[in-house]
Amino acid sequence: MKTSIKTYITTKQIKFFTALILTGILSVGSNFTLLKSATAAPRNILPEKVNEILDINHKSNGLPLPVARAVLRDVSRTQGVLPSKLKIAEYHQQTWSDGCLGLPKPDEFCTQALVPGWRVIVSNGTQNWIYHTNSNGRSLRLANPATSVNNQSKNLPTSVKNAVLAAASQLTKLPTSKIRIVNFKQITTDGCLGLPRPDEACIQIAQQAWEVNLQAGKQRLVYRANRDGSQVRLNQNASSSALPKSISDAILADAEEELGVPFSRLRIVRVERREWPDRCLGISEPLILCAPSIVPGWRVTVSDGKQRLVYRVGEPDTIRLDKQASKINVNNSLKPVPIPTSELPPLLESGVVFRQISSGGFAGRTYETVLLDDGLLIRTRMGDANDSERSVRRVSLQKLRQFQQLLEDKGANEFQNLSYPAPSGAADYMIYTLTSSDGTVQYNDISQNRLPRNLQVIVAAWNQLIREAQG
C-alpha cells in the first residue's frame, strides 16, 4: 500500500513538474514572439511603396524610396510622431554647395564639394518639417523647426509682399493691382537666395527666406526674398512668361537671315525669363563699355528642327544673338568674290584712317563717312552740290587709337578687295564699302551676321564709334 501511494505521489510530481516545464517553455517562446513583433513593428508601419507615402502629384523625377523612408523615420524619431501620420508633402532635386548640405553647424568644417540630393518637406497635416538630404538619404539634416501649416499661409511679411510685387511690376510693366500672389513658402538658402549671379560670391550660411509665386497676366513669376524683403531675386528657371509679339517677330526675322531658311520653317521653342548683368546683356564687344546694371528680359531659343539659335533680349527692345550658345550645323558663312578693279573706290588720302561709303536702301542715296587721324568724323552726301547734309563730329583720341589697334590686329586679312554679295532675290538693302590702309571690303546689311568673325568685330566697333560721335 505504501509502495502504491509513493508511486502515485511520484507520478503526480513528475506530471506536475513536466507540466510546469512545458508551461515555462511555452511562456518563454511566447515572450520571444512578442519581443520580435515589438521590435519589427515600427519598420512595418512604414509603407512599402513610394506612392503610399507621397501626397503629391506625379513628377518627372520621383523621390527615391530610401530617401523618403529616411526623412519619415527621422521625423518620427525626433518629433515623436507616428510614421502612419506623416506624408511627404513636397520634394525636389537640389545640388548642395558643401558636405553639410547647406546647413553647417556652428564651428563645423564642411567639405567644399557639390553634393547632389533632395529638399523634402514632411507634413502631418498641421506642421511641416524641411529636410536636406544627399542622393540616397544616408545623410540628412533638418533645415527648420516645425512650422505651422495654417500659420504659414498667413505670415508673409508685408515688406516681402510689397517688394516682390514691385519687382514683378517693374519686370512686366503691369500695375501691382494686376499682379496676384498665388502661393508662397518659407525656404532655407544661402546669402544669394540660392540664385547666384555670374562671378558672385555667396555667403554660405543657412538663412530663412521666402519663395513667392505670382501671376502677372499670362506670365508666372517665381521670386525669392530674404526675411524682410530687402533682397529680391527672380527664380528664372522656375518662371515662365509670354514673349511680346513684336519681339518674337523681330527674333524670327533675324533668325531667317542668320540661318538662311524661310520664316515659315522657324519656331520659337523655348522662352525663359532672365536678368542680364549689364546693358550689353552679358555679351561684350570691342570698344563697347557695358556699365553694370540689371536688365530684365528673356532668353529665347529658335529652331528649324535641325539648327538652333539662342537670343538674349533686354527690355524694352534690345536683341542680341548668343553665338556661343547657338548651334548651327551647316556652314552659313558667305563666299566672297573679288571686287573688279574698275569698281574699287580710291585709296585713302593722307590723314584719313578709315572710310565708309553707304548706298542703296529705300532712299537710294549715297553717303561717305571718313575718320581722320585727329579724331574728326566727317559725313557727307555724295552728289550734294550744296553740301547741305555735311556733319562733323569728333571721336576721342583714346577711342581712335583703340580702333586703329583693332584694324591692325584683325583687319589685315579682311580688307583684301573682296565683296560679300546679298542673297539672290533680295531687295532694298544697304551696301557698305569699307576702306582701310590695307584695302577694301564690301558687304550688305542683310548678310552682316554671316560675315567672317573678325570682320563682324570691326564693323561693330566702327558702328559704335559713329553712334558715340553722334550722341
Side-chain angles (χ1 to χ4, degrees):
M1 181 67 177
K2 291 182 179 180
T3 303
S4 298
I5 293 174
K6 185 177 180 180
T7 301
Y8 173 78
I9 294 174
T10 303
T11 302
K12 292 286 287 185
Q13 289 175 337
I14 292 172
K15 288 182 179 181
F16 174 79
F17 287 118
T18 300
L20 183 62
I21 292 171
L22 289 174
T23 302
I25 292 173
L26 290 173
S27 176
V28 173
S30 175
N31 288 338
F32 281 140
T33 303
L34 289 172
L35 288 173
K36 182 178 180 182
S37 298
T39 303
R43 180 177 297 177
N44 293 337
I45 289 175
L46 289 175
E48 293 295 329
K49 297 180 180 178
V50 174
N51 60 7
E52 294 177 4
I53 60 178
L54 301 184
D55 186 23
I56 57 178
N57 296 327
H58 294 294
K59 293 190 176 182
S60 57
N61 296 318
L63 183 68
L65 182 55
V67 176
R69 287 188 169 183
V71 295
L72 289 172
R73 285 197 183 101
D74 195 79
V75 174
S76 179
R77 178 180 61 82
T78 60
Q79 308 297 325
V81 182
L82 289 175
S84 59
K85 301 294 184 182
L86 298 172
K87 294 286 186 181
I88 303 292
E90 185 179 336
Y91 66 88
H92 64 260
Q93 286 182 304
Q94 184 107 14
T95 299
W96 309 111
S97 59
D98 53 52
C100 298
L101 308 179
L103 298 170
K105 298 173 183 177
D107 301 323
E108 180 181 17
F109 174 77
C110 303
T111 57
Q112 297 301 305
L114 297 178
V115 179
W118 298 85
R119 182 179 182 273
V120 184
I121 299 179
V122 182
S123 177
N124 66 352
T126 58
Q127 291 181 308
N128 287 344
W129 294 269
I130 302 174
Y131 276 84
H132 294 187
T133 82
N134 66 350
S135 59
N136 58 19
R138 293 178 181 174
S139 175
L140 56 83
R141 296 195 177 200
L142 180 64
N144 70 321
T147 58
S148 170
V149 173
N150 295 329
N151 289 338
Q152 187 178 2
S153 63
K154 301 177 182 178
N155 286 347
L156 183 65
T158 301
S159 58
V160 174
K161 176 183 176 181
N162 293 339
V164 296
L165 287 175
S169 177
Q170 180 181 4
L171 184 68
T172 62
K173 310 306 179 186
L174 292 173
T176 56
S177 60
K178 299 293 184 181
I179 302 173
R180 180 171 60 91
I181 294 179
V182 179
N183 56 56
F184 54 87
K185 61 184 178 182
Q186 283 188 301
I187 61 174
T188 301
T189 182
D190 56 25
C192 295
L193 303 177
L195 302 170
R197 295 183 176 121
D199 302 323
E200 181 179 20
C202 302
I203 300 175
Q204 296 300 317
I205 298 178
Q207 63 176 343
Q208 294 296 310
W210 295 93
E211 186 166 271
V212 185
N213 286 265
L214 304 100
Q215 191 71 35
K218 295 182 179 179
Q219 305 181 53
R220 182 176 64 85
L221 304 174
V222 181
Y223 280 93
R224 289 183 179 178
N226 61 353
R227 300 175 71 174
D228 61 2
S230 59
Q231 183 185 17
V232 175
R233 295 194 178 191
L234 177 69
N235 189 341
Q236 299 165 353
N237 292 332
S239 301
S240 64
S241 84
L243 191 67
K245 188 176 186 303
S246 59
I247 293 180
S248 63
D249 289 346
I251 288 175
L252 290 172
D254 187 86
E256 180 182 34
E257 296 179 9
E258 187 71 29
L259 296 177
V261 300
F263 191 97
S264 59
R265 285 176 48 192
L266 297 172
R267 295 287 184 274
I268 292 179
V269 296
R270 190 171 185 180
V271 178
E272 305 165 274
R273 265 295 183 180
R274 284 288 188 268
E275 288 181 338
W276 306 113
D278 51 49
R279 293 295 175 183
C280 297
L281 310 185
I283 301 176
S284 60
E285 290 185 0
L287 306 183
I288 299 179
L289 297 178
C290 301
S293 176
I294 301 301
V295 178
W298 294 269
R299 184 178 187 269
V300 182
T301 304
V302 179
S303 176
D304 65 349
K306 296 180 180 179
Q307 304 172 99
R308 178 187 70 204
L309 293 179
V310 179
Y311 287 88
R312 296 186 180 188
V313 180
E315 293 184 325
D317 56 6
T318 304
I319 300 174
R320 306 194 72 178
L321 178 63
D322 187 341
K323 295 183 179 180
Q324 290 187 345
S326 300
K327 181 180 180 181
I328 302 176
N329 299 326
V330 297
N331 183 10
N332 282 299
S333 61
L334 295 173
K335 293 182 179 180
V337 296
I339 301 175
T341 304
S342 59
E343 298 180 11
L344 286 172
L347 298 176
L348 297 180
E349 298 179 359
S350 176
V352 176
V353 174
F354 196 75
R355 179 181 63 213
Q356 172 187 282
I357 299 174
S358 60
S359 61
F362 292 104
R365 295 178 178 180
T366 301
Y367 292 88
E368 180 185 62
T369 305
V370 296
L371 176 63
L372 305 184
D373 57 8
D374 61 357
L376 287 181
L377 191 69
I378 304 173
R379 182 176 186 265
T380 58
R381 194 183 75 161
M382 299 178 70
D384 182 7
N386 297 324
D387 213 15
S388 59
E389 296 186 34
R390 179 185 179 89
S391 66
V392 179
R393 310 284 182 182
R394 180 171 291 278
V395 174
S396 70
L397 291 180
Q398 179 184 6
K399 294 290 186 181
L400 173 65
R401 301 296 177 244
Q402 289 176 343
F403 184 68
Q404 288 178 301
Q405 186 64 49
L406 182 66
L407 288 175
E408 183 178 339
D409 293 342
K410 298 183 180 296
N413 295 326
E414 304 301 336
F415 289 80
Q416 297 294 322
N417 299 337
L418 298 175
S419 173
Y420 294 86
S424 177
D428 298 326
Y429 54 85
M430 292 290 296
I431 296 176
Y432 297 96
T433 303
L434 307 180
T435 302
S436 72
S437 59
D438 292 312
T440 294
V441 65
Q442 192 174 80
Y443 72 96
N444 58 84
D445 57 352
I446 294 178
S447 306
Q448 180 174 333
N449 290 335
R450 298 170 63 190
L451 297 175
R453 177 58 183 166
N454 284 346
L455 185 54
Q456 287 191 50
V457 171
I458 293 172
V459 169
W462 169 249
N463 291 337
Q464 180 67 18
L465 274 183
I466 293 176
R467 285 194 296 269
E468 290 182 353
Q470 291 175 345

